[in-house]
Amino acid sequence: MNILTQQAQFDHPCPIRNVLHRIGDQWSLLVLETLSRKTLRFNEIGREINDISKQMLSRTLKRLEQDGFITRTVFAEVPPRVEYALTDVGRSFLVPMQALVQWADANHATICESRRQY
Amino acid sequence: MNILTQQAQFDHPCPIRNVLHRIGDQWSLLVLETLSRKTLRFNEIGREINDISKQMLSRTLKRLEQDGFITRTVFAEVPPRVEYALTDVGRSFLVPMQALVQWADANHATICESRRQY
DNA sequence: AGCTTTCGGTCTACATTTGAGACTATCGTT
DNA sequence: AACGATAGTCTCAAATGTAGACCGAAAGCT
């Protein structure tokens, strides 16, 4: 039993593993990285990521909002405008996230070589 | 288009996004964290994580091995013994990963509170 | 002697998640 | 008058994940 599992197995509502499970899905990191530069609208995020379906973008944004990483602001206009922006929590998350991205950047050549040799 | 997407969309074999996609799955971080303390056998890892299926453990270990994060050593014994250990690359990955874990630890109460309020 | 457990997986059948694309209503442009 | 943009939701099909049976040989227990 490690730090990631010790609470999850007792169905605690909020173990570390729970947190990592959210950010460790297919799209969350990508969305947060996209929002790290500036506030964006729904379709703008979709166009940046380029291969995310509307459904998954919608779900991912909703969960990130629930968890307090981002805010969702609706403007009463037609056509509708909805803007997504990082919260303080979201911005503080960028620090460890960018360390990860940098590691990936520095090591991806090595990893690809490893895959090729396999 | 951001740093994570710019190469993936051109089907480059090894963009940063490719790397993060692997580690950003359901189980990879958990397995790496489990192996961070010591070398373990297949079923030992399964018991530590506790709620991973054998199939996913098998697949996850195979991909981590392909990508060069871990080594797989088979001992010609009966019953069989197969040991998994971190490589240098795997160990270097622990640095940014543990920063993430610490962030999750420090912020999970806030996140849970945010979920509750939603 | 015979039964159970263990090892590291693979296989199959079922459940859950994801993706592609249609659909919504309103307004500005052509 | 038709078209596209807006932010989503809905439905159906495809992909992915889970649970549990199964494998063969050996060691431990009764």
Side-chain angles (χ1 to χ4, degrees), chain A residues 20-110:
Chain A
L20 291 185
H21 186 272
R22 291 285 178 103
I23 63 92
D25 70 357
Q26 186 78 247
W27 300 111
S28 294
L29 286 180
L30 234 30
V31 168
L32 292 172
E33 211 278 336
T34 302
L35 287 174
S36 71
R37 258 159 287 107
K38 65 169 190 284
T39 294
L40 291 171
R41 303 172 65 165
F42 184 88
N43 281 337
E44 288 175 329
I45 302 171
R47 269 182 245 117
E48 289 260 331
I49 295 182
N50 190 46
D51 59 351
I52 185 173
S53 66
K54 286 160 161 263
Q55 193 173 63
M56 286 314 291
L57 179 54
S58 175
R59 284 188 202 164
T60 303
L61 289 169
K62 202 167 291 175
R63 285 182 310 177
L64 290 174
E65 188 198 357
Q66 280 175 357
D67 287 4
F69 288 81
I70 62 177
T71 57
R72 176 176 183 273
T73 312
V74 182
F75 295 84
E77 301 175 2
V78 170
R81 180 156 62 104
V82 181
E83 289 189 347
Y84 293 91
L86 292 179
T87 60
D88 287 342
V89 170
R91 264 184 299 276
S92 86
F93 177 75
L94 292 182
V95 179
M97 192 193 86
Q98 279 163 355
L100 244 186
V101 169
Q102 279 167 24
W103 186 94
D105 191 20
N107 291 85
H108 87 266
T110 306

Side-chain angles (χ1 to χ4, degrees), chain B:
Chain B
M1 207 72 50
N2 58 37
I3 192 175
L4 296 168
T5 52
Q6 61 194 352
Q7 296 192 293
Q9 76 159 0
F10 297 119
D11 277 343
H12 277 202
C14 293
I16 294 170
R17 189 162 157 182
N18 223 314
V19 175
L20 291 185
H21 186 272
R22 290 286 178 102
I23 63 92
D25 70 357
Q26 186 76 247
W27 300 112
S28 294
L29 285 179
L30 234 30
V31 168
L32 291 172
E33 210 278 336
T34 303
L35 286 174
S36 71
R37 256 158 288 109
K38 63 169 191 286
T39 294
L40 291 171
R41 303 172 64 164
F42 184 87
N43 282 337
E44 287 175 330
I45 302 171
R47 269 183 245 115
E48 289 260 331
I49 295 183
N50 190 46
D51 58 350
I52 186 173
S53 66
K54 285 160 162 263
Q55 193 174 63
M56 285 314 291
L57 179 55
S58 176
R59 283 187 202 163
T60 303
L61 289 168
K62 202 167 288 174
R63 284 182 310 177
L64 290 175
E65 188 199 356
Q66 281 175 356
D67 286 4
F69 287 81
I70 62 176
T71 57
R72 176 175 183 274
T73 312
V74 183
F75 295 84
E77 301 175 0
V78 171
R81 180 157 62 104
V82 181
E83 290 188 347
Y84 293 92
L86 292 179
T87 60
D88 287 341
V89 170
R91 263 185 298 276
S92 85
F93 177 74
L94 292 181
V95 179
M97 191 193 85
Q98 279 163 354
L100 244 188
V101 170
Q102 278 166 25
W103 185 93
D105 191 20
N107 290 85
H108 85 266
T110 306
I111 289 169
C112 291
E113 181 54 27
S114 173
R115 282 184 204 164
R116 250 176 265 118
Q117 286 187 0
Y118 193 81

